[in-house]
């Protein structure tokens, strides 16, 4: 089989104007970025707002392993399958981050015959949205340090600055730095550091803002630090929120592309789900619902992270009502959760599948707690055996959940028809009873405990003294009724990445509480979660190249 990039480069793409026209988007709202990419103007809402919403379908997955689950590939493949069945469908995805693309994970444009194209451009600079986010973030950082340099009229305590810098690259050397060195003319010396751009609150704000005015208001609320008397200092107080919004005026517009089978896809925004809320932009999702009868979206990592945040944060803020969930599982991942080493996954091991199925069962139970109908898509790999696949289907049947084998990687839309048919039948007969897992009125600590107990399966959540003090302070400042954004390892239901399967008898430890006032949630940091990843010993960047004709190779 050809590599992902070879398949993508051989694709027969339609001009993006044709894709937009098929969706019913007026040409005056389509802003082309070359032949195959476009921004959709926010003015399109004048034509779309009165249209009825389609059905919103969330694609999520079991706890990920290095064996790979194929959630984005499934999202694209199922959307292509719905189109093959004669349905008007669209998928909404996040934009890839350059950090993982150059690191170990690779890009985020799907795989095999279920990809979005032009794959290379989507995975690299795309339409420049991430650069705009990084620049708006940098402006706020520069304004903050300039304020200190120019007399510090607001009385900002340099020891209590919480705003770090951001760059869209994995660079561990930037996690902890000192700025302002070199003498009086070069700034006020203080400790600082970098987060990856997808962890920036500016990214979260962009993904949750409804329009330019909402964007500007959210940016103005970003807390950058505290005064000597303990009062919060915001971007609005530094008077740069308007300029930040101006830098983001193009980035807030959703991006329209297509799949390998010329099915429309909106790709916009890109927060990570282990350190942010992990969903594409609210604007993109709302547009997708107006443009198609079936709008398929994904949320990052496993259902304990991206799906929980989609359902407790994004849906609540955006008034979204998901109709169903597709939960992606693989035999290989279940065997790893059952104790099999990655090097030994190719051999048949039904008992290991059964042992590891506790992870799948927990995610099924969790999604049912949100009141959502579920279809399990068993993403097939060439090494899977009939007995192993049958074991997964039998486990799903025991829980009364529909399941089907997915072959979207090798067969595109045709390989997703079985899942799409199950999904359509489920949507017809089972109404969604969606509800968030916790009330906003609950105290911040209780919301964390509910997530820990109900979603992770923990005995309880415990808080360090620093976290307790931060939570008390945030509550006294009026932020107690905000939703929770858990920053947790993606590799386990617990906060310990070594605990695979369905861990039991553990507590989740919250070591720090961080306010994201502009985004509108409180981030709870657990375990050793990093907001700035590092590159591996052999980065993917070493394999990426470009020839004299401009043809890129090595990207995956």
């Amino acid at each position: 089989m050809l590599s992902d990039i070879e398949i993508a480069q051989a694709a027969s793409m339609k001009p993006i104007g044709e894709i937009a026209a098929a969706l019913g988007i007026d040409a005056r709202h389509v802003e082309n970025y070359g032949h195959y990419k476009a921004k959709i103007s926010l003015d399109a809402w004048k034509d779309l707002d009165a249209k009825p919403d389609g059905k919103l379908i969330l694609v999520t997955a079991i706890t990920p392993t290095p064996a790979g689950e194929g959630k984005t590939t499934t999202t694209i493949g199922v959307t292509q399958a719905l189109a093959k069945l004669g349905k008007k469908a669209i998928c909404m995805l996040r934009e890839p981050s350059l950090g993982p693309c150059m690191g170990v994970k690779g890009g985020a444009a799907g795989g095999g015959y279920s990809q979005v194209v032009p794959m290379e451009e989507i995975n690299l600079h795309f339409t420049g949205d991430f650069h705009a986010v990084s620049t708006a973030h940098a402006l706020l950082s520069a304004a903050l340090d300039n304020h200190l340099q120019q007399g510090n009229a607001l009385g900002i305590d340099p020891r209590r600055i919480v705003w770090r810098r951001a760059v869209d690259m994995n660079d561990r050397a930037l996690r902890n730095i000192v700025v302002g060195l070199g003498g009086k003319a070069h700034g006020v010396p203080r400790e600082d550091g970098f987060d990856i751009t997808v962890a920036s609150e500016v990214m979260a704000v962009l993904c949750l803002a409804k329009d330019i005015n909402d964007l500007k208001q959210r940016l103005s609320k970003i807390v950058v630090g505290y005064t000597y008397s303990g009062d919060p200092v915001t971007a609005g107080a530094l008077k740069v929120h308007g300029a930040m919004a101006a830098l983001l005026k193009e980035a807030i517009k959703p991006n329209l592309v297509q799949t390998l089978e010329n099915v429309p896809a909106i790709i916009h925004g890109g927060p990570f789900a282990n350190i942010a809320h992990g969903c594409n932009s609210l604007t993109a999702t709302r547009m997708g619902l107006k443009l198609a009868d079936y709008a398929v979206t994904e949320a990052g990592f496993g259902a304990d992270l991206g799906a929980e945040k989609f359902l407790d944060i994004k849906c609540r803020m955006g008034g979204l009502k998901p109709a169903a969930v597709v939960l992606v599982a693989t035999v290989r991942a279940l065997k790893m959760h059952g104790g099999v080493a990655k090097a030994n996954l190719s051999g048949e091991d039904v008992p290991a599948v059964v042992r590891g199925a506790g992870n799948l069962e927990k995610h099924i139970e969790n999604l049912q707690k949100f009141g959502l109908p579920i279809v399990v898509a068993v993403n097939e790999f060439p090494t899977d055996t009939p007995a192993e696949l049958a074991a997964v289907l039998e486990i799903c049947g025991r829980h009364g959940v529909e399941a089907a084998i997915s072959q979207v990687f090798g067969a595109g839309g045709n390989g997703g028809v079985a899942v799409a048919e199950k999904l359509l039948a489920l949507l017809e007969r089972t109404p969604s009873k969606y509800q968030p897992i916790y009330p906003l009125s609950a105290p911040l600590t209780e919301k964390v405990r509910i997530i820990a107990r109900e979603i992770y399966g923990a005995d309880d959540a415990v808080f360090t003294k620093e976290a307790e003090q931060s939570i008390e302070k945030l509550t006294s400042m009026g932020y107690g009724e905000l939703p929770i954004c858990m920053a947790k390892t993606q590799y386990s239901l617990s906060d310990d990445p070594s605990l695979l399967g369905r861990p039991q008898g553990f507590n989740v430890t919250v070591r720090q509480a961080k306010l994201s006032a502009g985004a509108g949630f409180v981030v709870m940091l657990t375990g050793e979660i990093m907001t700035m990843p590092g590159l591996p010993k052999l980065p993917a960047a070493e394999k990426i190249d470009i020839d004299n004709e401009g043809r890129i190779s090595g990207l995956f």
Side-chain angles (χ1 to χ4, degrees):
M1 184 171 166
L2 298 174
S3 68
D4 287 354
I5 194 167
E6 289 171 332
I7 292 170
Q9 289 173 340
S12 178
M13 291 183 282
K14 292 183 179 180
I16 198 63
E18 292 184 24
I19 302 296
L23 285 170
I25 304 173
D26 192 287
R28 71 185 190 280
H29 301 314
V30 180
E31 302 171 4
N32 284 20
Y33 278 63
H35 298 297
Y36 305 112
K37 311 187 300 279
K39 287 277 188 185
I40 304 173
S41 168
L42 297 187
D43 288 339
W45 280 114
K46 296 172 184 176
D47 297 342
L48 297 175
D49 211 23
K51 291 187 175 182
D53 285 349
K55 293 186 182 296
L56 179 59
I57 298 143
L58 172 67
V59 178
T60 185
I62 63 172
T63 302
T65 69
E69 285 63 55
K71 185 171 70 272
T72 303
T73 302
T74 301
T75 303
I76 298 164
V78 168
T79 307
Q80 292 183 148
L82 288 168
K84 283 192 174 294
L85 292 171
K87 306 300 182 181
K88 189 176 183 181
I90 191 170
C91 62
M92 296 90 66
L93 305 170
R94 291 171 298 159
E95 299 178 48
S97 166
L98 282 174
C101 207
M102 299 294 167
V104 66
K105 186 175 181 290
Y113 289 91
S114 291
Q115 297 186 63
V116 281
V117 285
M119 176 263 227
E120 313 98 294
E121 295 176 32
I122 292 168
N123 275 323
L124 297 178
H125 299 289
F126 201 19
T127 56
D129 293 346
F130 277 35
H131 299 303
V133 170
S134 298
T135 304
H137 187 117
L139 170 61
L140 182 52
S141 298
L144 172 59
D145 279 298
N146 184 59
H147 187 86
L148 296 176
Q149 174 75 358
Q150 303 299 339
N152 195 7
L154 293 173
I156 301 169
D157 185 346
R159 301 163 301 178
R160 300 195 63 195
I161 289 173
V162 296
W163 186 253
R164 290 159 58 87
R165 286 169 156 80
V167 63
D168 188 31
M169 189 54 62
N170 293 2
D171 193 346
R172 63 172 56 83
L174 295 177
R175 287 173 185 161
N176 299 286
I177 63 172
V178 177
V179 297
L181 298 179
K184 186 176 180 179
H186 301 288
V188 177
R190 65 179 185 86
E191 291 186 43
D192 201 349
F194 276 78
D195 295 333
I196 192 166
T197 295
V198 287
S200 167
E201 188 177 351
V202 177
M203 177 67 80
V205 164
L206 181 76
C207 289
L208 292 168
K210 297 179 178 67
D211 53 33
I212 292 290
N213 284 333
D214 188 32
L215 175 70
K216 194 157 49 176
Q217 288 299 314
R218 286 176 177 272
L219 291 170
S220 74
K221 295 176 183 177
I222 291 175
V223 173
V224 297
Y226 296 86
T227 65
Y228 286 106
S229 58
D231 297 322
V233 179
T234 63
L238 292 170
K239 301 178 182 178
V240 291
H241 57 292
M244 292 170 70
L247 288 169
L248 297 168
K249 79 178 186 70
E250 297 302 315
I252 195 174
K253 301 172 184 176
N255 306 296
L256 180 65
V257 290
Q258 62 194 289
T259 74
L260 290 173
E261 297 178 9
N262 311 121
V263 177
I266 297 178
I267 305 181
H268 193 219
F272 279 178
N274 58 346
I275 51 182
H277 73 288
C279 305
N280 68 306
S281 77
L282 183 56
T283 299
T285 301
R286 291 176 61 230
M287 275 195 179
L289 285 168
K290 298 295 184 183
L291 292 169
D293 298 324
Y294 297 90
V296 186
T297 191
E298 54 94 30
F301 293 126
D304 56 314
L305 287 168
E308 185 272 316
K309 295 169 185 179
F310 177 88
L311 297 166
D312 278 328
I313 298 176
K314 180 176 174 178
C315 287
R316 191 150 22 195
M317 287 189 185
L320 304 175
K321 296 180 179 179
V325 176
V326 175
L327 177 62
V328 182
T330 66
V331 165
R332 291 166 59 84
L334 291 176
K335 285 197 284 191
M336 284 198 75
H337 282 296
V340 178
K342 186 179 178 182
N344 301 325
L345 291 175
S346 57
E348 181 176 281
D349 194 337
V350 174
V353 173
V354 175
R355 288 196 305 271
N359 188 270
L360 170 60
E361 291 169 334
K362 177 57 177 164
H363 285 296
I364 289 172
E365 292 168 16
N366 288 350
L367 293 167
Q368 289 172 334
K369 291 176 183 178
F370 286 100
L372 295 171
I374 305 163
V375 173
V376 174
V378 185
N379 191 18
E380 186 176 9
F381 280 68
T383 55
D384 297 346
T385 69
E388 290 172 329
L389 293 167
V392 181
L393 296 178
E394 193 273 331
I395 290 160
C396 295
R398 285 207 312 264
H399 285 266
V401 172
E402 294 286 347
I405 307 300
S406 173
Q407 300 172 321
V408 295
F409 183 89
N414 286 328
V417 166
V419 176
E421 288 178 337
K422 294 273 189 183
L423 176 63
L424 291 170
L426 185 67
L427 290 169
E428 283 294 317
R429 70 173 184 270
T430 310
S432 169
K433 297 178 182 178
Y434 159 70
Q435 60 180 7
I437 200 74
Y438 57 78
L440 290 178
S441 58
L444 292 173
T445 51
E446 181 57 24
K447 283 180 276 205
V448 173
R449 287 192 164 100
I450 291 171
I451 295 171
R453 292 192 300 255
E454 297 296 326
I455 303 301
Y456 306 156
D459 292 340
D460 201 2
V462 296
F463 302 83
T464 65
K465 187 174 182 179
E466 179 188 355
E468 285 181 341
Q469 291 173 342
S470 296
I471 290 168
E472 288 175 8
K473 175 71 173 177
L474 294 177
T475 302
S476 69
M477 290 165 59
Y479 297 112
E481 294 197 359
L482 292 182
I484 297 297
C485 181
M486 296 294 289
K488 180 185 78 69
T489 178
Q490 67 269 33
Y491 296 118
S492 174
L493 282 163
S494 74
D495 55 356
D496 179 350
S498 68
L499 299 180
L500 302 184
R502 184 175 185 168
Q504 294 180 327
F506 67 93
N507 289 328
V508 170
T509 300
V510 175
R511 57 180 177 83
Q512 186 180 352
K514 178 185 173 186
L515 175 64
S516 291
F521 51 66
V522 176
V523 179
M524 299 289 181
L525 288 96
T526 70
E528 297 300 318
I529 195 72
M530 290 285 186
T531 53
M532 168 54 81
L535 291 172
K537 187 173 184 179
L538 296 174
E542 293 184 10
K543 299 178 182 178
I544 298 172
D545 201 358
I546 185 170
D547 64 21
N548 202 44
E549 305 300 318
R551 193 174 181 87
I552 293 172
S553 59
L555 198 59
F556 67 98

